[in-house]
Structures are given as structure tokens and as C-alpha cells.
Amino acid sequence: IRADFVAIGCVGDDTAMLIGYLVGLSRKLPEALAALYIARSGAGKSILQKQTIEFMPEEDLIVHTRVTQHALFYKDENALAYKALAIDEEEGAAEAAYALRSLQSAGYLSISSTRTDPLTGKQRAEDYRVNGPTAIFLTTAHAEALDYETRNRFIMLTVDESKEQTRRILERQRWADTLDGVLSTEHRRAILRRHHNAQRLLQPVHVVNPLACELSYPCDRLILRREQKKYLALIKTIALLNQYQRERKTVDAGNGRRIEYIEVTASDVEIAA
């Protein structure tokens, strides 16, 4: 995956790219992750987000420049289910902050609103529900831009602002204007197409971590209750990515229901760490 990021024109920021890729895949888990890219204006956070979400098939991706306060509540019931939602800047998501954190935490949205019955003229309550899970992507130039309750639900991804990274980006920009750079467009399409098709093959499936109780995590701050859940979700997403290399198991869940699942391995934990 890292090599394919480089091949389509990304330079540096390996960790942010890989984590972003996993955040996108987490849309297929019951509890999806969310990523917030943080960097000063001009550092390339929006480009990094754009390049990351390009690896997802278009039918699984929803991109908005701005989302108003109640817009997400009135989408079709399954419009956000197992999808990735990307919003260009945090300013475009500020009004919808409550909806985004509710969607990320609860895995769904619900609202009860009133409308006038055209036959009787009386007010009637109507209930709406929009299902997740939904992976969420945002960018911001200010670490404190979103309110704390919203911000701590995201994995914070910083962008390399060093002089060396600037040099690499400028070199890549110049190369893109050469004949080789122009001819690389078709190769880029082929790489993205391969990832799109590979992700289409991945199915939502329960992931069990038999090693979870052997792991440790700091416990000196309250926020770590959420941070550990993100870490565990990253581990499960890596297992999800490798689902066709894992044995499919089933277990009796009661009431005549059986659940299919795969298991996390030690290598998944090592990669996440």
C-alpha cells in the first residue's frame, strides 16, 4: 500500500497515509474510525486527504464541501451505511459537528421532527434514522478548531512541514510536468482501479481479537478510554484487510443465529503498534 501511494504521486507522510487508508477500510467494521488531518495552510493536508480517499471505490465514498446542521439526519436510511464521508475543511463541518460525533460514536443518527399534514393541517411527528457505520475524514489548519467533544473522537494525523518534505514535494511537482509525468496518468488509474476492486471484495465481518486481554495501554488520563478503542479498531481493520488470508469461523449466538468472524493475529498487533 505504501508503494502504491508513492506510485500515484504521494511523497512522505507514510504513517498518515497508511492510517488514513485503514480509517477508510474501517467503514466495513461495526464501529468505524475517523481521521482529522492537521497542518498549517499550504502544507498539503487537503491533498493528502484527497489522495487517501481516492483509493476507495466511488460507490463507497461521499465527498462534501460543506454540511449544514441537520443535513445528515435527512439522508436516506442507508445512504451512509458502510461508506466513507469526507468533508473538505473543518469550517464546512462546523455546523454538523454534533451529527458527526453522534454518527461516529453511536454508528447511526436519529431525529424526530414535525411537519404539517397536508390533509388535516395538524402537526405530526416523523422519525428518521440514518444508519452507519461511516468512516469520517476532515482537515483543519487549527488543532483547536473543532470542539473538544468532537475532536477527541478522531485520530489526529499531522502533515510533515519540514524543509526536506517541501523539497520532495517541489521535485515531484516539476516531474509531473515532464513527459514521464504526463504518461504516468494511466499507470496511476490502474493502481487505483486495483485497490477499488480489492476493497469491493472485502466484506463486513466480525473481527475477534483473542490477544486483546494481553495488550496494555496507559490509563493516566480520561481521554485514553477513547484512544484505546481507536487503537483496537486499527488492529481489527488490519485483520479485515487480510480477511481472505484468515480462517472464517462461526459461533452460535443463540436464538438460532450464527455469527461468522475472523481472528486478529500477532502480526496485526505488531503492524498497528
Side-chain angles (χ1 to χ4, degrees), residues 5 17 20-21 37 48-55 137:
F5 267 106
M17 288 188 293
Y21 190 97
Y37 295 91
L48 183 57
Q49 174 173 287
K50 178 179 181 294
Q51 290 172 326
T52 300
I53 64 176
E54 281 181 333
F55 279 82
F137 291 86

Side-chain angles (χ1 to χ4, degrees), residues 173-207:
Q173 289 174 348
R174 294 192 293 270
W175 177 85
D177 278 355
T178 67
L179 179 59
D180 286 342
V182 173
L183 293 177
S184 71
T185 303
E186 187 57 37
H187 179 54
R188 184 179 187 277
R189 290 196 190 102
I191 291 172
L192 294 176
R193 186 164 56 246
R194 184 171 70 248
H195 281 268
H196 295 170
N197 290 333
Q199 291 190 27
R200 289 178 177 120
L201 291 173
L202 296 176
Q203 299 296 317
V205 63
H206 290 280
V207 180

Side-chain angles (χ1 to χ4, degrees), residues 222-261:
L222 192 62
I223 193 176
L224 296 173
R225 299 182 185 185
R226 283 194 172 132
E227 293 301 314
Q228 178 177 258
K229 290 192 69 176
K230 300 173 193 174
Y231 174 56
L232 293 173
L234 276 177
I235 294 172
K236 290 191 289 186
T237 305
I238 295 168
L240 180 80
L241 176 62
N242 294 280
Q243 64 179 245
Y244 289 104
Q245 288 74 47
R246 306 293 161 82
E247 179 186 357
R248 293 284 182 119
K249 300 182 178 181
T250 58
V251 63
D252 187 353
N255 298 322
R257 295 174 57 249
R258 297 190 67 80
I259 292 177
E260 189 176 53
Y261 68 96

Side-chain angles (χ1 to χ4, degrees), residues 56-270:
M56 287 178 274
E58 60 181 12
E59 69 269 17
D60 285 357
L61 181 62
I62 301 168
V63 180
H64 291 306
T65 302
R66 180 170 177 262
V67 178
T68 56
Q69 184 177 5
H70 296 115
L72 297 178
F73 287 97
Y74 293 104
K75 282 188 173 288
D76 290 341
E77 184 179 15
N78 292 311
L80 299 177
Y82 303 107
K83 298 290 194 298
L85 171 64
I87 304 173
D88 290 344
E89 293 280 349
E90 113 279 335
E91 290 93 340
E95 293 180 36
Y98 176 76
L100 290 172
R101 67 173 181 259
S102 297
L103 178 62
Q104 207 281 322
S105 293
Y108 68 91
L109 295 172
S110 64
I111 189 171
S112 183
S113 63
T114 58
R115 73 174 184 88
T116 303
D117 189 314
L119 298 178
T120 65
K122 295 182 178 180
Q123 293 287 307
R124 291 183 54 189
E126 289 192 346
D127 296 333
Y128 298 87
R129 179 183 170 109
V130 181
N131 295 319
T134 308
I136 302 170
F137 291 86
L138 285 177
T139 68
T140 182
H142 311 285
E144 304 298 320
L146 293 172
D147 63 272
Y148 176 78
E149 279 299 310
T150 302
R151 194 170 62 248
N152 66 19
R153 287 167 166 81
F154 285 76
I155 295 177
M156 307 288 193
L157 299 176
T158 56
V159 176
D160 186 351
E161 299 183 13
S162 68
K163 179 179 178 180
E164 180 60 24
Q165 175 66 355
T166 299
R167 182 189 63 78
R168 288 191 290 264
I169 291 172
L170 295 180
E171 286 179 352
R172 184 71 190 197
Q173 289 174 348
R174 294 192 293 270
W175 177 85
D177 278 355
T178 67
L179 179 59
D180 286 342
V182 173
L183 293 177
S184 71
T185 303
E186 187 57 37
H187 179 54
R188 184 179 187 277
R189 290 196 190 102
I191 291 172
L192 294 176
R193 186 164 56 246
R194 184 171 70 248
H195 281 268
H196 295 170
N197 290 333
Q199 291 190 27
R200 289 178 177 120
L201 291 173
L202 296 176
Q203 299 296 317
V205 63
H206 290 280
V207 180
V208 173
N209 187 350
L211 306 174
C213 293
E214 301 175 16
L215 302 176
S216 61
Y217 208 82
C219 57
D220 57 327
R221 289 181 295 156
L222 192 62
I223 193 176
L224 296 173
R225 299 182 185 185
R226 283 194 172 132
E227 293 301 314
Q228 178 177 258
K229 290 192 69 176
K230 300 173 193 174
Y231 174 56
L232 293 173
L234 276 177
I235 294 172
K236 290 191 289 186
T237 305
I238 295 168
L240 180 80
L241 176 62
N242 294 280
Q243 64 179 245
Y244 289 104
Q245 288 74 47
R246 306 293 161 82
E247 179 186 357
R248 293 284 182 119
K249 300 182 178 181
T250 58
V251 63
D252 187 353
N255 298 322
R257 295 174 57 249
R258 297 190 67 80
I259 292 177
E260 189 176 53
Y261 68 96
I262 60 174
E263 289 188 341
V264 164
T265 67
S267 65
D268 300 329
V269 177
E270 183 180 353

